[in-house]
C-alpha cells in the first residue's frame, strides 16, 4: 500500500464518493464489507424459512400469493448481496459453506419459531420494519455495489412491511377475540428479538466505530434501534396492541421513547447457535445445499464450456 493510494481512498470517503470494485481499498475495509454483506445475504436466505413454514397454511389464495412473492423477493435479495460480495473477491460457494459450517453469522431473528399465522404479519411489520430502518441508512453506505443493491432491496422491503401491517390490521380490526389474542401473543414473542436485530449497544459493538469512520455504517446500532422504536410504538397503538415492555414510555425531554433493558444473554445464546431454531435452520440449509449441488455443478460446467467456446 502506498500513502498516495490510502490518501485517495480516504479523500473519496470524506467526499462521499462511492468506492467501486476496481478501486484500491484497505484490506480491512474489504474484509469488513465481505463479513457484513455476506451475513446480510445469509440472513435473507435463512429468513425465507420461518415464512415458508406457513405457505401451505395461508388462509386464502390472496394471502398465499403475497407470502410467496415476499419469500421469492428474499431469495432475490440474497442473490444481489452474494453478487455484491463477489465484487470484493468473495467466492460465493465458499461464503455459503462458511455459514453452513458456523463460521459466518446470519441475523439472530431467524432463529425464532413461527407459531401462528399472525407471525406472518408480525415478521412483515416488525422484522422487515426493523430491516428497512437499517437498510435505508445503508443506501448511503460507502461501497457502491452494496449501496445500489440496498436501493432495490428497500423498495421491496417497503412492500413487505406494508403487507404485514395490513394483515395484522385485518386480524385485529375485523377478527374475533381469539384472533386479536393471537396477534398480541405474536408481538409478545417478536418484540425483543426485533430490537436485537440492530446488534449490541454501541459501547459493546466490535465493528461500529471503524465502520462509521469508513462510512460502511452511517449510524450506530443504538440510534437506529431508537428510530425503529419511535416509528413503531404509534403503529402498535393503532392496532390496539400492548408492547411487552413495562418500562416503555414517551420521554418529553428527549423526544424519544425510553425502553427497558434488552436481554443480551439471550442475544449471545442465539448468536452462538443455541436459539430455539438454530439447529433446524442449519439442517434445512445444509440439506438444501446437498440437494442443490447438481444445479451448481451443472451451472459451473455450462459456464466453463461457454468460456472454452469463446476462447476458441
Ligand atoms: N444477529 O460490532 P457489531 C431481512 C454480530 S434480513 C446476528 O455491532 P456490525 C429479512 C455482528 O455480526 C436483514 N449477529 O456488528 C429477511 C458482530 O459479529 P462479527 C438482515 C449479530 O456488523 C427475510 C457482533 O455481533 N440485515 O431483512 O457493525 C425476511 C458485534 O456486532 C447481530 C442485515 O444484515 C444480529 N442481529 O453491526 C424478513 C443488515 N447483530 O461479525 C426480513 C446489514 C450483531 O464481528 N448488517 N451481530 O463476528 C448490519 O447493518 C450490521 O452488520 C449489524 C451489526 C447492524 C447487523
Amino acid at each position: 500500500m502506498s500513502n498516495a493510494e490510502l490518501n485517495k481512498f480516504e479523500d473519496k470517503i470524506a467526499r462521499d464518493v462511492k468506492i467501486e470494485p476496481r478501486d484500491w481499498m484497505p484490506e480491512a475495509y474489504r474484509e469488513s464489507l465481505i463479513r457484513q454483506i455476506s451475513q446480510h445475504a445469509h440472513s435473507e436466505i435463512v429468513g425465507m424459512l420461518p415464512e415458508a413454514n406457513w405457505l401451505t397454511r395461508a388462509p386464502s389464495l390472496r394471502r398465499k400469493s403475497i407470502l410467496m412473492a415476499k419469500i421469492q423477493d428474499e431469495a432475490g435479495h440474497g442473490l444481489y448481496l452474494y453478487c455484491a460480495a463477489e465484487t470484493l473477491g468473495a467466492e460465493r460457494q465458499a461464503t455459503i459453506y462458511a455459514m453452513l459450517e458456523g463460521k459466518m453469522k446470519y441475523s439472530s431473528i431467524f432463529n425464532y419459531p413461527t407459531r401462528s399465522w399472525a407471525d406472518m404479519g408480525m415478521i412483515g411489520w416488525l422484522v422487515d420494519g426493523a430491516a428497512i430502518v437499517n437498510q435505508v441508512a445503508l443506501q448511503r453506505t460507502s461501497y457502491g455495489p452494496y449501496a445500489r443493491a440496498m436501493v432495490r432491496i428497500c423498495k421491496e422491503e417497503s412492500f413487505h412491511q406494508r403487507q404485514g401491517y395490513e394483515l395484522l390490521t385485518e386480524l385485529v380490526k375485523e377478527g374475533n377475540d381469539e384472533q386479536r389474542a393471537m396477534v398480541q401473543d405474536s408481538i409478545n414473542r417478536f418484540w425483543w428479538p426485533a430490537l436485537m436485530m440492530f446488534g449490541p449497544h454501541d459501547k459493546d459493538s466490535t465493528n461500529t466505530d471503524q465502520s462509521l469512520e469508513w462510512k460502511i455504517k452511517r449510524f450506530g446500532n443504538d440510534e437506529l434501534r431508537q428510530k425503529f422504536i419511535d416509528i413503531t410504538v404509534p403503529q402498535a397503538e393503532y392496532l390496539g396492541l400492548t408492547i411487552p415492555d413495562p418500562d416503555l414510555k414517551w420521554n418529553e425531554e428527549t423526544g424519544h421513547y425510553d425502553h427497558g433493558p434488552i436481554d443480551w444473554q439471550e442475544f449471545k445464546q442465539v448468536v452462538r447457535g443455541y436459539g430455539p431454531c438454530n439447529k433446524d435452520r442449519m439442517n434445512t440449509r445444509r440439506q438444501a445445499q446437498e440437494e442443490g449441488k447438481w444445479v451448481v455443478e451443472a451451472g459451473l460446467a455450462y459456464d466453463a464450456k461457454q468460456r472454452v467456446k469463446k476462447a476458441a
Side-chain angles (χ1 to χ4, degrees), residues 35-36 39-41 43-48 51 70 74 77 105-110 123 127-128 131-132 134-135 138 146 157 160 196-202 204-208 211 217 221 224 267 271:
R35 175 190 61 80
Q36 178 169 328
Q39 283 181 12
H40 195 162
S43 304
E44 296 284 355
I45 301 298
V46 178
M48 296 161 77
E51 292 172 311
K70 179 181 190 303
E74 282 146 13
H77 298 174
K105 300 184 169 83
Y106 59 88
S107 182
S108 49
I109 189 76
F110 303 116
I123 288 184
V127 176
D128 287 86
I132 291 171
N134 176 289
Q135 290 168 186
L138 286 174
Y146 192 24
E157 299 285 31
H160 296 173
M196 292 174 195
M197 284 175 72
F198 294 91
H201 288 310
D202 295 333
D204 302 317
S205 155
T206 32
N207 305 296
T208 297
S211 289
K217 282 166 107 164
N221 299 351
L224 291 176
F267 172 76
V271 173

Side-chain angles (χ1 to χ4, degrees), residues 73-124:
D73 285 350
E74 282 146 13
H77 298 174
L79 296 184
Y80 304 153
L81 289 162
Y82 284 126
C83 286
E86 278 176 325
T87 65
L88 290 156
E91 204 272 314
R92 186 179 306 202
Q93 288 305 311
T95 311
I96 292 172
Y97 277 107
M99 193 271 283
L100 296 178
E101 287 163 12
K103 293 179 191 152
M104 262 188 171
K105 300 184 169 83
Y106 59 88
S107 182
S108 49
I109 189 76
F110 303 116
N111 292 307
Y112 291 85
T114 42
R115 296 215 164 98
S116 71
W117 174 251
D119 291 356
M120 294 304 96
M122 204 55 68
I123 288 184

